[in-house]
């Protein structure tokens, strides 16, 4: 991960109090983010005179670290050409003290959340609608990655995740390492240019205008020079995992023959092994990105495996990590000697 220390941090707006910012004429405020234990409260500040702003106020010490890192990252991105992605990334205005912690003030980016359409009536049952989501996400990534491409390096995404799994869940990690080592080696034989990586590139962080991604938020996990395949895979994995979100347990998922909402991860397993139009769309999306980054398109299923592993390795939540690793063990069963036994909670838990 590229260090951000050499980049200027947005200045502390010491002379501005939150009340002065919010009490100006024509200003209205909307709370759009919750106050969970490890997150920040997100306020959209609508201004009739100047530009709309977003205030991200940390609720915990851990969230404060993320906010400060995001501020430095956004400041660094302002110094870089982003090509077609320019204008879709928030600009850091500065830090504002809120309840004794620095809150990050940024410009607002335009668009309507892709999540609003995703959760709309039968959106995921319509091939054209889902295809448009993947095209929008893939197009934005192509622009960003082309504009920020740097020195090539081996694709170690899956090996890095397996190392984390073995450290956190030793028994399962060893079994998955035996099973997926050949897949990790296959990917690592290839190289991709290092690019700006968002790190949490899923439909919940994308804003759309007329079918294009015009805003991308939540840059706390970003890298200035990382593996571009992380973002490519993250979008497909997250979309597939939510595919059965609105189906009752045990019911068929509308628009997807053969998919039943029987247990968590059914949509991802369906994309990995299914023959339906959604599986074909995921394959085409991943294959196109691999081709664009000068890798063999037939590695699409390996990339999907690496994407699930990356989510499992980077989440701080123990239960979520365990669920993703168990899902990965399940969908790759039969490709190696492991039995897919769920991990036990042990001393290696680092949540």
């Amino acid at each position: 991960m590229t260090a951000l220390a050499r980049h200027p941090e947005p200045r502390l707006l010491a002379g501005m109090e939150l009340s002065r910012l919010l009490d100006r004429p024509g200003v209205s405020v909307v709370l759009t983010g919750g106050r969970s234990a490890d997150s920040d409260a997100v306020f959209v500040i609508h201004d009739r005179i100047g530009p709309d702003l977003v205030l991200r106020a940390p609720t915990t010490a851990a969230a404060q670290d993320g906010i400060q890192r995001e501020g430095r990252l956004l400041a660094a991105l302002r110094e870089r050409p982003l090509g077609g992605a320019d204008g879709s990334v928030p600009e850091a205005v500065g830090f504002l003290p809120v309840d004794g912690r620095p809150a990050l003030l940024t410009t607002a980016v335009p668009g309507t959340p892709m999540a609003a359409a995703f959760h709309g009536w039968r959106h995921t049952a319509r091939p054209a609608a889902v295809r448009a989501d993947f095209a929008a996400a893939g197009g934005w990534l192509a622009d960003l990655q082309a504009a920020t491409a740097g020195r090539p390096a081996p694709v170690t995404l899956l090996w890095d995740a397996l190392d984390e799994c073995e450290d956190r869940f030793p028994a399962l990690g060893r079994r998955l390492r035996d099973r997926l080592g050949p897949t990790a080696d296959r990917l690592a034989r290839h190289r991709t240019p290092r690019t700006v990586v968002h790190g949490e590139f899923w439909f919940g962080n994308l804003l759309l205008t007329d079918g294009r991604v015009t805003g991308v938020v939540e840059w706390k996990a970003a890298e200035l020079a990382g593996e571009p395949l992380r973002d490519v895979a993250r979008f497909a994995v997250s979309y597939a995992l939510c595919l059965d979100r609105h189906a009752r347990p045990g019911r068929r998922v509308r628009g997807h023959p053969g998919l039943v909402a029987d247990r968590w991860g059914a949509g991802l397993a369906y994309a990995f092994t299914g023959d339906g139009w959604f599986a074909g769309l995921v394959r085409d999306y991943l294959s196109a990105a691999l081709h664009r980054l000068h890798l063999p398109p037939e590695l699409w299923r390996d990339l999907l495996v690496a994407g699930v592993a990356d989510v499992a390795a980077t989440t701080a939540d123990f239960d979520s990590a365990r669920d993703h690793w168990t899902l990965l063990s399940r969908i790759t069963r039969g490709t190696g000697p492991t039995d897919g036994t769920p991990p036990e909670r042990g001393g290696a838990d680092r949540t």
Side-chain angles (χ1 to χ4, degrees), residues 19-337:
S19 59
R20 291 178 57 195
L21 176 67
L22 302 183
D23 288 345
R24 291 173 298 134
V27 168
S28 60
V29 180
V30 178
L31 174 65
T32 62
R35 297 180 64 94
S36 62
D38 59 351
S39 69
D40 41 85
V42 182
F43 301 88
V44 177
I45 303 169
H46 297 288
D47 194 333
R48 297 178 186 174
I49 301 175
D52 289 346
L53 300 171
V54 174
L55 183 69
R56 308 181 65 85
T59 60
T60 65
Q64 176 179 317
D65 292 341
I67 285 289
Q68 291 178 306
R69 186 179 187 283
E70 183 172 5
R72 294 193 297 270
L73 188 286
L74 292 177
L77 287 179
R78 290 189 67 175
E79 303 172 4
R80 297 194 170 201
L82 300 180
D86 192 31
S88 60
V89 180
E91 293 187 6
V93 176
F95 289 109
L96 188 67
V98 176
D99 292 337
R101 293 193 174 103
L104 178 61
L105 190 65
T106 72
T107 58
V109 287
T112 301
M114 183 183 286
F118 181 94
H119 294 297
W121 178 248
R122 297 185 179 178
H123 179 84
T124 57
R126 300 195 296 271
V130 177
R131 189 174 294 112
D133 288 345
F134 274 77
W140 187 89
L141 282 178
D143 288 341
L144 177 73
Q145 292 166 357
T148 63
R151 180 178 300 177
V155 179
T156 61
L157 185 63
L158 183 51
W159 272 131
D160 292 343
L162 290 173
D163 287 343
E164 175 67 20
C165 182
E166 190 169 8
D167 188 28
R168 196 173 189 185
F169 306 109
L172 179 67
R174 288 190 294 270
R175 293 196 297 269
L176 281 177
R177 196 176 188 88
D178 290 342
R179 177 187 297 178
L180 299 179
T183 303
D185 280 338
R186 218 164 26 239
L187 288 169
R189 285 196 290 267
H190 301 278
R191 299 166 70 85
T192 60
R194 289 302 180 257
T195 71
V196 168
V197 172
H198 180 269
E200 294 181 343
F201 193 75
W202 71 293
F203 63 84
N205 287 333
L206 308 186
L207 307 181
L208 300 176
T209 303
D210 296 329
R212 296 185 307 107
V213 174
T214 52
V216 180
V217 298
E218 289 279 3
W219 287 82
K220 287 182 288 189
E223 302 173 72
L224 294 178
E227 288 200 32
L229 293 175
R230 287 191 67 204
D231 284 344
V232 170
R234 181 67 63 104
F235 182 81
V237 168
S238 62
Y239 207 104
L241 284 174
C242 295
L243 197 60
D244 59 347
R245 176 69 62 86
H246 299 293
R248 294 181 180 179
R251 297 288 185 87
R252 295 184 180 276
V253 178
R254 189 179 296 275
H256 301 277
L259 175 58
V260 177
D262 53 358
R263 54 181 169 174
W264 184 83
L268 194 286
Y270 181 70
F272 187 77
T273 62
D275 296 322
W277 63 264
F278 180 75
L281 175 58
V282 169
R283 179 193 62 234
D284 292 346
Y285 161 79
L286 295 176
S287 297
L290 286 163
H291 177 74
R292 172 170 54 79
L293 293 166
H294 311 295
L295 275 70
E298 57 268 23
L299 293 177
W300 72 270
R301 189 174 274 111
D302 292 349
L303 177 54
L304 193 60
V305 168
V308 180
D310 180 58
V311 176
T314 56
T315 181
D317 181 77
F318 180 92
D319 292 333
S320 178
R322 178 195 58 205
D323 290 344
H324 280 83
W325 284 121
T326 304
L327 171 63
L328 185 60
S329 182
R330 189 169 80 238
I331 66 175
T332 59
R333 184 176 294 135
T335 62

